[in-house]
Each structure stands twice: as structure tokens, then as C-alpha cells.
Amino acid sequence: MMNAYKYMVGCLGLLLAFSMFSCADVDTTPSGPETTLSQKQPVMVTPEFAIRGIDGMPSELFLTELGLSITEIRLEPVTSRAGSVAYSTRQPFRLLFDVANGEVVKRWETFEFPEPGRFIVSIRLEPREQFDEQSQRMVTESSLSLAGFIAGDGITLIDPINSIDENMDGNPLPLPFDEQNDSSSGEVQDRPASPTEWTPFHYDSKRAVFFTFSDVELTSGEQTLGFTFDVHDWALELVEPIVRAVRNVSSPDIHDQGVDITTQLDSVGRGAEALMEAGSVRTEPVRPVKGL
């Protein structure tokens, strides 16, 4: 009888121990690090491109359009470690700034980045094959395009107002074609020391350019990856080769787009590479952009 009692007590002890172990094993409450990980925000990046220095253009130069064909934005970790890789956007896109009407800022689509950190930023410009709806054929878009007017002594000149009025929407022409009010005389007169005749020109580069900027810090949440191109100094170096190109062209050779200055700018290194060298990159919180 005593042996049976001891056997029952031993069994109850084993059952109690097994019950306590089972309860501890099914506890599914997440640990501290896992909880913190689940609350992290994704890294959302919006590329933004801005042109600066338009107000300081040389008096002989008037830009109307600037276009960029970007095939890649690459982000490479600053600190290389085992398993680290460079990330890049592979969807090409085209940006066309209507500079004549004050359009100097453009954004592209937001993309999600795998992880925060510090990254070296590069972009690639390349010509692209696109289907043109108007002509119903494939056309090559330039890696960098530029259009405008140039003026100066010795150039074969045409009337800029008659050459672009057909394409305008009725709004007043921007400087240098605007008339200004002279406060001293009370009369409306031409801009002082400004040329009155202009030759149209265009630049269409087919060069592929890969350019590396500085490094930036990407954090969790939404942010802007801002590329800024200060064209003031770049424009100062454009005048001489453009004037030289225009002087070598006679009036009958000036078509709707004007004088093709592509060869002249590329030969002296004033084209796509020079514009990239005038650029910088930064990150900042996303903010509304007027007109977008």
C-alpha cells in the first residue's frame, strides 16, 4: 500500500513538471529587438533636379530649354563590407526644363530603398531610342540637349521675335526680349545694353556620361535626393564656342532649330561632362514644389 502511494505521488510530480515546461514553451510574445525592427519605416527617396544661376546668364546668351536623359541613379555604400552591394534605378526617364517660362525644378517617381546608410551617388546620362507619335518612327533622344539664342558682333543674326512667336502661347517674352520701364523717363524702352537680334542654336549630345557626385545620408522615412546644377559658370564658357559655331554658318543654313553647336561644344569639353561638374547632390525632407 505504501509503495502504491509513493508511485502516485511520483506520477503527480512528473505531470506537474511537464505542465510547467509546456506553458513556458508556447509563449509567443516577440522579444525587444524583433519589436523594434517591425516598427522601422522604409527608406523612401524622391529624386529632384533643379537648375540654378539662370538669372545670371551672360547678356549674349538666352537659354530656352535644357533636357536630360537619365538611365541610372546609382547608390553605393560608403563603407564596403562583406555582402554590401550598390543599388541603382534601372527605369530610364527624360527631363525637359522649359527654361524660357521659368521651369527650373522637376521631380521623378519615388522609389523605396532597402536600407538606410551613407551612400555615394552617381548618375548616368545616355541617348535613348523612343517612338515618336508625331512622326510614327523611332527617334534618338539626346543624353543632354540645349536650346536658346546667341547674339554678338559679326554673327549672322535673325529676328528672334519673328522666329519664336509662332510657338509661343501669347504670354510676354521673358528677358532678354522683354521691354522694361525706365523709371527715370517714365517711358518703356528696350533692356539697356541688350542685343536686339539673336541667332537660335541647339545642342544634342549623343555622348554617354557616368558622373559621380558626393556621398549622402539616407534615413528611414521620406526624403528628397536633390540634384542641383548651377549653370552660371558653365554658361560663361558656352558663349565663345557658340559664337564661333554661328559665325561659320550662313543664314540659309539656319533652320527652325537654328545652328547645331553640338560638335563645337563637345570638341572643347563644354557639353554634358561640364554640366555634370557644375552639379551637386544633397538629401532633405520632402517638401511641396510649386507647379508640380
Side-chain angles (χ1 to χ4, degrees):
M1 188 64 150
M2 181 61 68
N3 290 336
Y5 175 75
K6 289 181 179 180
Y7 175 77
M8 292 177 61
V9 170
C11 289
L12 287 173
L14 289 172
L15 288 172
L16 180 60
F18 179 76
S19 175
M20 292 174 64
F21 176 78
S22 299
C23 290
D25 188 52
V26 298
D27 185 2
T28 58
T29 303
S31 62
E34 292 177 351
T35 303
T36 303
L37 183 63
S38 65
Q39 294 175 349
K40 282 186 177 179
Q41 291 182 301
V43 181
M44 306 296 293
V45 181
T46 302
E48 179 181 284
F49 298 82
I51 302 172
R52 298 288 181 265
I54 293 295
D55 295 339
M57 288 288 99
S59 60
E60 306 95 333
L61 181 66
F62 179 57
L63 300 183
T64 57
E65 285 186 352
L66 189 149
L68 300 170
S69 292
I70 299 172
T71 56
E72 178 187 15
I73 300 175
R74 181 179 299 182
L75 300 166
E76 184 176 358
V78 171
T79 305
S80 298
R81 58 185 184 277
S84 63
V85 295
Y87 302 95
S88 65
T89 61
R90 295 306 300 172
Q91 181 184 1
F93 57 95
R94 173 79 173 169
L95 300 174
L96 185 62
F97 296 87
D98 184 2
V99 180
N101 287 312
E103 186 179 47
V104 293
V105 178
K106 279 185 173 291
R107 281 182 181 169
W108 192 242
E109 299 174 357
T110 301
F111 61 89
E112 185 170 333
F113 202 67
E115 58 181 343
R118 195 153 197 90
F119 298 88
I120 299 172
V121 182
S122 304
I123 66 172
R124 187 186 303 275
L125 304 181
E126 288 181 306
R128 297 196 307 147
E129 291 289 328
Q130 287 287 97
F131 182 76
D132 182 63
E133 294 288 347
Q134 185 174 359
S135 63
Q136 292 296 300
R137 61 185 179 88
M138 297 297 293
V139 297
T140 301
E141 291 183 336
S142 306
S143 55
L144 173 64
S145 63
L146 187 69
F149 293 86
I150 190 74
D153 295 336
I155 303 177
T156 302
L157 299 169
I158 62 174
D159 181 359
I161 296 181
N162 291 334
S163 69
I164 64 175
D165 262 353
E166 296 178 357
N167 299 321
M168 297 300 289
D169 57 5
N171 294 324
L173 289 173
L175 290 176
F177 306 138
D178 277 347
E179 293 182 331
Q180 294 185 336
N181 184 15
D182 185 353
S183 57
S184 61
S185 63
E187 298 178 356
V188 175
Q189 56 182 324
D190 291 337
R191 181 185 180 189
S194 179
T196 58
E197 293 181 302
W198 300 77
T199 301
F201 67 84
H202 66 97
Y203 169 80
D204 297 288
S205 177
K206 299 301 187 291
R207 299 169 65 92
V209 177
F210 183 80
F211 189 83
T212 299
F213 296 89
S214 60
D215 54 277
V216 298
E217 185 76 26
L218 297 182
T219 59
S220 299
E222 297 183 4
Q223 61 226 274
T224 297
L225 181 64
F227 297 88
T228 301
F229 300 97
D230 191 337
V231 300
H232 177 266
D233 292 344
W234 178 59
L236 292 176
E237 297 180 342
L238 293 180
V239 175
E240 183 181 350
I242 295 176
V243 168
R244 190 183 309 117
V246 172
R247 282 177 176 167
N248 293 329
V249 177
S250 60
S251 296
D253 295 324
I254 301 178
H255 304 293
D256 293 340
Q257 290 184 303
V259 179
D260 186 349
I261 63 168
T262 306
T263 301
Q264 283 77 8
L265 287 194
D266 285 343
S267 65
V268 295
R270 297 288 188 267
E273 294 92 340
L275 178 61
M276 293 300 101
E277 291 173 359
S280 61
V281 66
R282 74 196 183 286
T283 54
E284 58 184 31
V286 173
R287 68 186 188 285
V289 175
K290 184 178 180 181
L292 294 184

